[in-house]
Amino acid sequence: MILIWMICILLAGGILSWIAARRSPLLAKWIALLTVTADLLITCWLFSFYQAFPDKTSWYINHQANWIPALGISFHVAMDGFSHVLLLLTFFLGILAVLCSWKEIKEKTGFYFFNLLWTLAGISGVFIAMDMILFYFCWEIMLIPMYFLIILWGDARRRYAGYKFFIFTQVGSLLMLLSILALYFVHGDQTGKYTFDYFSLLHTAMDATVAKWIMLGFLIAFAIKLPVVPFHNWLPDAHGEAPTAGSLVLAGLLLKTGAYGIIRFVLPLFPESAVAIAPVMILFGVAGIIYGALLAFSQTDLKRLIAYTSVSHMGFVLVGIFSFNNIAMQGVVMQILTHGLSTGALFVMAGMLKERLHTRDIDRMGGMWTSMPAMGGIAILFTMASAGLPVLGNFIAEFFVLLGAFANYPTFSIIATLGLILSAIYSLRMLQKVFMGQQHFTEPVKDISARELVIMAALSISIVILGLFPQPVIDTVQHLSTIHPLLHE
């Protein structure tokens, strides 16, 4: 039941924040902060269950209760090491998202924190739902509050960005729902038992053509969310116009639900179809790495620049997943974590600069190191992390992905290494444009505040620890090779 309580805490905290804001906006902020902190502490405590589990390879928390038994729908939640790591990332970034919003959000504070906490609740549900209808329900809960965060608290073109985000993601959601229903009926026709339970559907035998079409419904939905080129078009607009916390949650968490969906659903449910489509998906992944990096280099809007780096970095995730290699899969999990931290930090930094300078145009910045040396130093750290500098977590992730991919797809792996060179070029260009060169602002600009320093220090320490000590994460997700027999190939 503890997993259900974790989601209920977020849902209740969102409602309480909304109600409390009528009396005191500050009280709403504290309720939101304490709510997410409570979930993070619970998630850390749950590691005791993992340590006590005999082989550390399976679902060490598993709870199922009837919901609509006549239709085979249950309230089934479970957690393994992979889900556990992603929940830790969710609540850690959730706390930072609340802190980011502390001074930035001045209007409709209660409704803002309601949407933020319900988005986090939806994301948490996605990572632990083992009933396909429950998974779809959490997927929708995750998307709708994020849409409100963009259109109500975003920048000048927030409505356009919000509508685009909603249309892209809802088209993917509809395809996924159709695939879920198709899988439900195929399994029911074979066994006589109609169920949406993940573990039952794993054993569904299908004709190759039927499996391919059902898989494509899932794959397109997750590819839009990842995002995979050419389904990435919504991302720069949504990132560019969202509030700082919205960009942090989008980059750090929502994109990761796409990778999680492919690993958790596409590979185990449709192994033969996944093998057949693997070369095409790796081609898309390599194209995303190069294309995202080139577009990042050409941007003058700081937030759009960072958004296109996400397209490039998520290309590595796609390459690693469809390499069917255990080392590459470990690199994928590391990339999911380190990208959430490093790119999330860059978006937080972009929000701080926007708050001070009232612009996102890097051509109008420059020389900010003189006024903001502390922020400049932190910017160097995360710029180097984004570029894949050794000792930082991103290097481990991308190195593992390329090493694993080389075993099965050496040509694609070699081409993908160009992404490392291009990431260094666009990262250094961003750093030079913003913090070096001639200063364009004559008015004094405040350096990083104590609250902002806490946020950036937490992200800095995390990215360095993952770079120096990646083994605990690798051990936690080692069981993925037992869940996915394809990884032995």
Side-chain angles (χ1 to χ4, degrees):
M1 290 290 290
I2 192 69
L3 297 180
I4 299 172
W5 278 109
M6 286 165 61
I7 297 175
C8 290
I9 287 171
L10 288 170
L11 297 175
I15 295 170
L16 282 175
S17 294
W18 195 0
I19 295 170
R22 297 176 183 176
R23 290 190 173 185
S24 168
L26 182 61
L27 179 59
K29 296 173 186 177
W30 277 108
I31 290 173
L33 182 61
L34 293 173
T35 298
V36 188
T37 303
D39 269 358
L40 179 63
L41 293 175
I42 291 171
T43 311
C44 293
W45 172 70
L46 288 177
F47 263 112
S48 60
F49 286 84
Y50 169 72
Q51 296 298 334
F53 204 80
D55 57 359
K56 297 188 176 68
T57 59
S58 302
W59 304 88
Y60 44 91
I61 298 179
N62 196 335
H63 176 77
Q64 186 171 11
N66 285 332
W67 187 7
I68 312 175
L71 297 178
I73 302 173
S74 63
F75 205 97
H76 189 181
V77 291
M79 186 169 72
D80 64 348
F82 186 35
S83 298
H84 203 158
V85 167
L86 291 176
L87 284 178
L88 281 173
L89 180 69
T90 300
F91 300 132
F92 177 68
L93 293 183
I95 291 173
L96 301 185
V98 173
L99 291 174
C100 284
S101 312
W102 209 264
K103 299 286 186 184
E104 182 181 357
I105 304 303
K106 299 180 174 65
E107 297 179 356
K108 302 175 184 171
T109 308
F111 190 51
Y112 173 86
F113 285 108
F114 168 81
N115 282 293
L116 181 60
L117 293 184
W118 276 56
T119 300
L120 294 175
I123 294 168
S124 306
V126 163
F127 291 147
I128 60 175
M130 290 295 117
D131 181 274
M132 301 304 290
I133 292 297
L134 179 62
F135 175 82
Y136 181 77
F137 183 67
C138 293
W139 187 268
E140 291 300 304
I141 288 179
M142 169 183 77
L143 299 178
I144 295 170
M146 178 55 67
Y147 164 75
F148 283 118
L149 287 176
I150 295 170
I151 67 162
L152 294 179
W153 292 276
D155 254 340
R157 298 174 70 246
R158 58 183 180 270
R159 290 188 179 276
Y160 169 77
Y163 294 152
K164 199 171 184 179
F165 165 77
F166 191 77
I167 290 169
F168 267 81
T169 50
Q170 284 303 109
V171 168
S173 297
L174 178 61
L175 290 173
M176 182 169 68
L177 180 59
L178 293 174
S179 289
I180 289 171
L181 293 173
L183 192 59
Y184 170 78
F185 284 113
V186 168
H187 178 82
D189 288 343
Q190 285 183 3
T191 63
K193 180 184 177 184
Y194 288 88
T195 179
F196 288 98
D197 186 68
Y198 171 77
F199 296 108
S200 299
L201 295 174
L202 277 177
H203 307 294
T204 306
M206 285 174 279
D207 177 74
T209 304
V210 173
K212 180 183 74 173
W213 286 108
I214 296 176
M215 180 206 69
L216 282 175
F218 282 103
L219 188 57
I220 292 172
F222 299 138
I224 290 171
K225 185 57 64 190
L226 191 57
V228 175
V229 174
F231 304 114
H232 71 288
N233 196 253
W234 63 271
L235 181 71
D237 294 296
H239 271 314
E241 304 304 321
T244 302
S247 295
L248 174 61
V249 172
L250 269 170
L253 301 173
L254 254 74
L255 305 191
K256 309 312 181 292
T257 60
Y260 173 84
I262 296 173
I263 295 170
R264 182 70 81 207
F265 297 102
V266 174
L267 267 60
L269 290 170
F270 314 99
E272 291 82 9
S273 300
V275 169
I277 205 171
V280 176
M281 298 311 297
I282 288 184
L283 178 61
F284 280 133
V286 173
I289 292 170
I290 307 300
Y291 180 73
L294 292 174
L295 283 183
F297 181 78
S298 66
Q299 300 302 308
T300 57
D301 184 313
L302 181 57
K303 289 186 79 172
R304 288 180 70 88
L305 188 159
I306 301 168
Y308 276 114
T309 69
S310 292
V311 176
S312 182
H313 287 135
M314 290 300 99
F316 283 102
V317 169
L318 198 65
V319 169
I321 291 172
F322 283 95
S323 295
F324 303 128
N325 181 280
N326 199 26
I327 293 176
M329 186 61 77
Q330 292 167 10
V332 166
V333 176
M334 284 294 294
Q335 182 77 332
I336 287 171
L337 294 177
T338 57
H339 174 269
L341 297 172
S342 61
T343 305
L346 290 175
F347 274 116
V348 172
M349 185 190 72
M352 294 174 185
L353 290 169
K354 171 72 165 52
E355 185 182 347
R356 289 162 169 79
L357 307 177
H358 308 291
T359 182
R360 303 195 312 248
D361 188 350
I362 60 176
D363 289 332
R364 293 180 57 196
M365 299 180 190
M368 301 311 300
W369 186 278
T370 307
S371 305
M372 311 168 74
M375 187 179 288
I378 294 169
I380 287 178
L381 174 69
F382 285 105
T383 301
M384 294 301 101
S386 182
L389 193 75
V391 183
L392 301 172
N394 301 63
F395 169 77
I396 302 289
E398 291 171 3
F399 177 72
F400 273 34
V401 168
L402 293 173
L403 183 65
F406 188 82
N408 295 333
Y409 299 95
T411 304
F412 283 135
S413 183
I414 291 168
I415 297 171
T417 55
L418 293 175
L420 300 176
I421 301 169
L422 293 172
S423 67
I425 294 172
Y426 67 64
S427 298
L428 291 173
R429 173 180 174 267
M430 177 182 69
L431 193 65
Q432 189 272 333
K433 284 275 189 181
V434 176
F435 289 98
M436 309 300 174
Q438 184 180 357
Q439 188 168 0
H440 293 280
F441 282 83
T442 54
E443 301 86 1
V445 181
K446 280 197 237 176
D447 203 353
I448 195 165
S449 68
R451 174 182 58 87
E452 294 167 340
L453 185 60
V454 168
I455 296 170
M456 301 309 282
L459 290 165
S460 302
I461 293 168
S462 302
I463 200 73
V464 172
I465 288 176
L466 282 175
L468 294 175
F469 306 104
Q471 195 61 46
V473 173
I474 293 170
D475 290 342
T476 306
V477 298
Q478 190 70 40
H479 68 287
L480 286 177
S481 62
T482 63
I483 293 175
H484 304 305
L486 294 172
L487 298 183
H488 295 301
E489 296 182 3

